[in-house]
Amino acid sequence: KAGVTQTPRYLIKTRGQQVTLSCSPISGHRSVSWYQQTPGQGLQFLFEYFSETQRNKGNFPGRFSGRQFSNSRSEMNVSTLELGDSALYLCASSLELAGTKNIQYFGAGTRLSVL
Amino acid sequence: AQSVTQLGSHVSVSEGALVLLRCNYSSSVPPYLFWYVQYPNQGLQLLLKYTTGATLVKGINGFEAEFKKSETSFHLTKPSAHMSDAAEYFCAVSKGAGSYQLTFGKGTKLSVIP
Protein backbone atom coordinates (compact mmCIF):
# COMPACT_ATOMS: atom_id res chain seq x y z
CA LYS A 1 0.00 0.00 0.00
CA ALA A 2 1.41 3.38 -0.96
CA GLY A 3 2.13 5.82 1.85
CA VAL A 4 1.26 9.48 2.08
CA THR A 5 2.54 11.27 -1.00
CA GLN A 6 3.40 14.94 -1.00
CA THR A 7 4.27 16.95 -4.07
CA PRO A 8 6.44 18.69 -4.88
CA ARG A 9 9.27 17.69 -2.52
CA TYR A 10 11.10 20.98 -2.92
CA LEU A 11 9.90 24.42 -3.90
CA ILE A 12 11.54 27.81 -4.18
CA LYS A 13 9.41 30.94 -4.29
CA THR A 14 9.94 34.66 -3.79
CA ARG A 15 8.26 36.95 -1.31
CA GLY A 16 4.76 37.97 -2.29
CA GLN A 17 4.08 34.95 -4.45
CA GLN A 18 1.58 32.24 -3.59
CA VAL A 19 2.12 28.51 -3.45
CA THR A 20 0.01 25.36 -3.50
CA LEU A 21 1.17 22.10 -1.94
CA SER A 22 -0.48 18.76 -2.57
CA CYS A 23 -1.03 15.70 -0.41
CA SER A 24 -2.41 12.30 -1.40
CA PRO A 25 -3.34 10.28 1.68
CA ILE A 26 -3.05 6.54 2.10
CA SER A 27 -5.81 4.81 0.20
CA GLY A 28 -8.95 4.65 2.35
CA HIS A 29 -7.84 7.36 4.77
CA ARG A 30 -10.30 10.22 5.03
CA SER A 31 -8.65 12.50 7.56
CA VAL A 32 -5.78 14.72 6.42
CA SER A 33 -3.80 17.08 8.65
CA TRP A 34 -1.12 19.60 7.82
CA TYR A 35 1.83 20.68 9.96
CA GLN A 36 4.56 23.28 9.55
CA GLN A 37 8.06 22.43 10.78
CA THR A 38 10.67 25.15 11.34
CA PRO A 39 13.89 25.17 13.37
CA GLY A 40 12.59 27.94 15.60
CA GLN A 41 8.97 26.98 16.21
CA GLY A 42 9.20 23.23 15.73
CA LEU A 43 6.17 21.29 14.54
CA GLN A 44 2.95 23.28 14.53
CA PHE A 45 -0.53 22.16 13.55
CA LEU A 46 -2.05 24.03 10.61
CA PHE A 47 -5.42 22.38 9.94
CA GLU A 48 -7.26 19.09 9.62
CA TYR A 49 -9.81 18.00 7.04
CA PHE A 50 -12.30 15.18 7.01
CA SER A 51 -14.81 14.48 4.25
CA GLU A 52 -14.00 17.78 2.53
CA THR A 53 -14.68 19.79 5.70
CA GLN A 54 -12.17 21.61 7.84
CA ARG A 55 -12.60 20.17 11.32
CA ASN A 56 -9.85 21.94 13.16
CA LYS A 57 -7.54 24.88 12.58
CA GLY A 58 -4.32 25.95 14.23
CA ASN A 59 -3.17 29.44 15.05
CA PHE A 60 -1.98 30.61 11.66
CA PRO A 61 -2.93 33.74 9.68
CA GLY A 62 -5.58 33.66 7.00
CA ARG A 63 -2.88 33.53 4.31
CA PHE A 64 -2.75 29.82 5.05
CA SER A 65 -5.69 27.89 3.68
CA GLY A 66 -6.49 24.41 2.58
CA ARG A 67 -9.08 22.18 1.08
CA GLN A 68 -9.89 18.54 0.63
CA PHE A 69 -11.37 16.90 -2.41
CA SER A 70 -13.92 14.11 -2.63
CA ASN A 71 -11.12 11.55 -3.15
CA SER A 72 -9.55 12.75 0.15
CA ARG A 73 -6.60 14.38 -1.57
CA SER A 74 -5.77 17.69 0.02
CA GLU A 75 -4.07 20.91 -0.95
CA MET A 76 -2.81 23.76 1.13
CA ASN A 77 -2.24 27.24 -0.18
CA VAL A 78 -0.12 30.05 1.17
CA SER A 79 -0.70 33.47 -0.31
CA THR A 80 1.56 36.52 -0.16
CA LEU A 81 4.57 34.51 0.92
CA GLU A 82 6.86 35.86 3.62
CA LEU A 83 10.43 34.85 4.41
CA GLY A 84 9.18 33.25 7.63
CA ASP A 85 7.04 30.82 5.68
CA SER A 86 10.17 28.91 4.72
CA ALA A 87 9.63 25.53 6.32
CA LEU A 88 9.03 21.84 5.85
CA TYR A 89 5.30 21.28 5.40
CA LEU A 90 4.15 17.85 6.47
CA CYS A 91 0.90 16.14 5.65
CA ALA A 92 -0.51 13.27 7.69
CA SER A 93 -3.44 10.98 7.04
CA SER A 94 -5.54 8.85 9.36
CA LEU A 95 -7.96 5.99 8.94
CA GLU A 96 -10.86 7.19 11.01
CA LEU A 97 -12.29 4.00 12.39
CA ALA A 98 -12.98 2.86 15.93
CA GLY A 99 -9.93 1.14 17.32
CA THR A 100 -7.37 2.87 15.12
CA LYS A 101 -6.44 5.15 18.02
CA ASN A 102 -5.90 8.31 16.01
CA ILE A 103 -2.66 7.09 14.42
CA GLN A 104 -1.41 9.56 11.86
CA TYR A 105 0.89 8.55 9.03
CA PHE A 106 3.16 11.26 7.72
CA GLY A 107 4.46 12.02 4.25
CA ALA A 108 8.05 13.03 3.53
CA GLY A 109 7.06 16.69 3.34
CA THR A 110 7.45 19.60 0.98
CA ARG A 111 10.39 21.87 1.72
CA LEU A 112 9.47 25.43 0.83
CA SER A 113 12.13 28.10 0.57
CA VAL A 114 11.03 31.72 0.27
CA LEU A 115 13.66 34.11 -1.09
CA ALA B 1 -4.46 23.80 26.32
CA GLN B 2 -1.97 21.05 25.85
CA SER B 3 1.79 21.25 25.87
CA VAL B 4 4.78 18.94 25.63
CA THR B 5 8.25 19.49 27.07
CA GLN B 6 11.18 17.44 25.93
CA LEU B 7 14.19 17.79 28.20
CA GLY B 8 17.40 18.04 26.24
CA SER B 9 17.51 19.17 22.64
CA HIS B 10 20.57 16.97 22.08
CA VAL B 11 21.42 13.64 23.69
CA SER B 12 24.56 11.61 22.99
CA VAL B 13 24.98 7.98 23.96
CA SER B 14 27.55 5.35 23.19
CA GLU B 15 26.62 2.42 21.00
CA GLY B 16 25.21 -0.30 23.27
CA ALA B 17 24.29 2.12 26.06
CA LEU B 18 20.83 2.87 27.40
CA VAL B 19 18.80 5.46 25.55
CA LEU B 20 16.54 7.67 27.67
CA LEU B 21 14.64 10.55 26.09
CA ARG B 22 12.44 12.55 28.42
CA CYS B 23 8.95 13.86 27.75
CA ASN B 24 6.55 15.64 30.08
CA TYR B 25 3.11 16.78 29.03
CA SER B 26 0.22 18.84 30.29
CA SER B 27 -3.33 18.15 29.23
CA SER B 28 -6.74 19.13 30.49
CA VAL B 29 -8.20 15.80 29.39
CA PRO B 30 -6.88 12.23 29.42
CA PRO B 31 -4.34 12.36 26.64
CA TYR B 32 -3.20 10.11 23.88
CA LEU B 33 0.61 10.16 23.76
CA PHE B 34 2.94 9.39 20.88
CA TRP B 35 6.61 9.18 20.05
CA TYR B 36 7.70 9.82 16.48
CA VAL B 37 11.15 9.58 14.89
CA GLN B 38 12.42 11.69 12.01
CA TYR B 39 15.45 10.80 9.91
CA PRO B 40 17.11 13.51 7.80
CA ASN B 41 15.01 14.67 4.85
CA GLN B 42 12.16 12.41 5.80
CA GLY B 43 8.76 12.68 7.43
CA LEU B 44 7.76 11.37 10.83
CA GLN B 45 7.52 7.68 11.62
CA LEU B 46 5.44 6.48 14.56
CA LEU B 47 7.51 4.60 17.16
CA LEU B 48 4.79 3.90 19.71
CA LYS B 49 1.61 5.24 21.24
CA TYR B 50 -0.29 5.25 24.53
CA THR B 51 -4.04 5.57 24.45
CA THR B 52 -5.58 3.58 27.29
CA GLY B 53 -4.81 0.40 29.20
CA ALA B 54 -1.31 -0.86 29.88
CA THR B 55 0.97 2.00 30.83
CA LEU B 56 4.14 0.37 29.49
CA VAL B 57 3.98 0.39 25.72
CA LYS B 58 6.34 -1.28 23.33
CA GLY B 59 7.11 0.08 19.92
CA ILE B 60 9.20 -0.63 16.91
CA ASN B 61 12.99 -1.03 16.84
CA GLY B 62 13.18 -2.06 20.50
CA PHE B 63 11.84 1.19 21.93
CA GLU B 64 9.38 1.39 24.79
CA ALA B 65 7.79 4.10 26.89
CA GLU B 66 5.94 4.24 30.18
CA PHE B 67 2.96 6.49 30.84
CA LYS B 68 3.13 7.88 34.38
CA LYS B 69 0.06 9.93 35.12
CA SER B 70 1.27 11.10 38.53
CA GLU B 71 4.45 12.49 36.97
CA THR B 72 2.77 13.57 33.69
CA SER B 73 5.62 11.86 31.90
CA PHE B 74 6.05 9.58 28.90
CA HIS B 75 9.79 8.89 28.67
CA LEU B 76 11.18 6.85 25.78
CA THR B 77 13.80 4.17 26.44
CA LYS B 78 15.82 1.57 24.59
CA PRO B 79 18.16 -0.78 26.45
CA SER B 80 20.96 -0.76 23.88
CA ALA B 81 21.57 2.00 21.36
CA HIS B 82 22.40 1.19 17.77
CA MET B 83 24.05 3.46 15.25
CA SER B 84 20.86 3.41 13.20
CA ASP B 85 18.98 5.04 16.11
CA ALA B 86 20.64 8.38 15.40
CA ALA B 87 17.75 10.67 14.45
CA GLU B 88 15.44 13.29 15.91
CA TYR B 89 12.69 12.13 18.24
CA PHE B 90 9.43 13.93 18.92
CA CYS B 91 6.95 13.40 21.71
CA ALA B 92 3.37 14.42 20.93
CA VAL B 93 0.01 14.60 22.67
CA SER B 94 -3.55 14.71 21.42
CA LYS B 95 -6.81 15.21 23.26
CA GLY B 96 -7.83 11.61 23.01
CA ALA B 97 -10.35 9.77 20.92
CA GLY B 98 -11.55 11.72 17.92
CA SER B 99 -8.82 14.34 18.07
CA TYR B 100 -6.37 14.47 15.21
CA GLN B 101 -4.55 17.59 16.29
CA LEU B 102 -1.12 16.72 17.63
CA THR B 103 0.86 19.05 19.88
CA PHE B 104 4.55 18.27 19.56
CA GLY B 105 7.55 18.83 21.76
CA LYS B 106 10.57 20.65 20.33
CA GLY B 107 12.34 17.39 19.61
CA THR B 108 15.49 15.66 20.87
CA LYS B 109 18.32 14.91 18.47
CA LEU B 110 19.94 11.63 19.41
CA SER B 111 23.57 10.99 18.48
CA VAL B 112 25.09 7.53 18.86
CA ILE B 113 28.84 7.39 19.36
CA PRO B 114 30.62 4.26 18.08
Side-chain angles (χ1 to χ4, degrees):
Chain A
K1 205 178 215 182
V4 178
T5 303
Q6 292 187 245
T7 55
R9 287 294 313 276
Y10 302 92
L11 208 48
I12 299 174
K13 293 286 187 179
T14 56
R15 277 183 300 172
Q17 287 187 310
Q18 75 165 13
V19 67
T20 299
L21 312 182
S22 179
C23 172
S24 293
I26 293 171
S27 178
H29 287 197
R30 292 162 60 194
S31 170
V32 173
S33 299
W34 288 88
Y35 294 83
Q36 181 196 62
Q37 185 177 22
T38 60
Q41 298 300 316
L43 281 151
Q44 294 185 286
F45 173 78
L46 280 157
F47 24 65
E48 186 235 337
Y49 287 87
F50 177 77
S51 290
E52 303 178 64
T53 300
Q54 186 180 89
R55 274 204 302 205
N56 214 347
K57 189 178 191 302
N59 189 24
F60 277 82
R63 300 186 297 108
F64 291 81
S65 63
R67 59 178 176 169
Q68 186 180 33
F69 302 94
S70 58
N71 61 359
S72 295
R73 191 176 70 84
S74 178
E75 290 181 346
M76 67 162 282
N77 183 277
V78 187
S79 62
T80 320
L81 284 166
E82 300 177 359
L83 295 178
D85 297 333
S86 295
L88 180 66
Y89 290 89
L90 292 166
C91 170
S93 74
S94 297
L95 175 64
E96 188 159 322
L97 279 180
T100 57
K101 304 298 186 186
N102 300 25
I103 295 174
Q104 297 190 47
Y105 297 87
F106 283 80
T110 294
R111 186 163 296 280
L112 172 65
S113 297
V114 181
L115 307 178
Chain B
Q2 297 179 294
S3 67
V4 176
T5 302
Q6 290 184 240
L7 286 175
S9 57
H10 288 88
V11 170
S12 291
V13 300
S14 298
E15 192 174 15
L18 171 73
V19 175
L20 170 60
L21 304 182
R22 300 178 187 274
C23 172
N24 288 87
Y25 70 92
S26 71
S27 178
S28 55
V29 298
Y32 282 9
L33 294 158
F34 306 83
W35 275 99
Y36 283 88
V37 61
Q38 186 177 36
Y39 297 99
N41 298 316
Q42 293 187 27
L44 303 174
Q45 181 183 7
L46 179 69
L47 279 176
L48 49 79
K49 64 188 184 298
Y50 168 79
T51 54
T52 57
T55 56
L56 181 63
V57 293
K58 295 186 185 298
I60 62 172
N61 302 337
F63 285 94
E64 62 182 38
E66 186 171 10
F67 170 63
K68 291 187 177 181
K69 185 178 178 181
S70 60
E71 298 177 8
T72 59
S73 68
F74 191 56
H75 302 330
L76 181 71
T77 61
K78 182 175 180 178
S80 177
H82 192 273
M83 295 297 294
S84 61
D85 295 327
E88 191 156 20
Y89 293 79
F90 294 91
C91 181
V93 62
S94 74
K95 288 184 181 177
S99 172
Y100 291 85
Q101 177 176 346
L102 290 172
T103 299
F104 285 90
K106 293 290 191 186
T108 297
K109 189 165 287 187
L110 176 67
S111 298
V112 182
I113 303 164

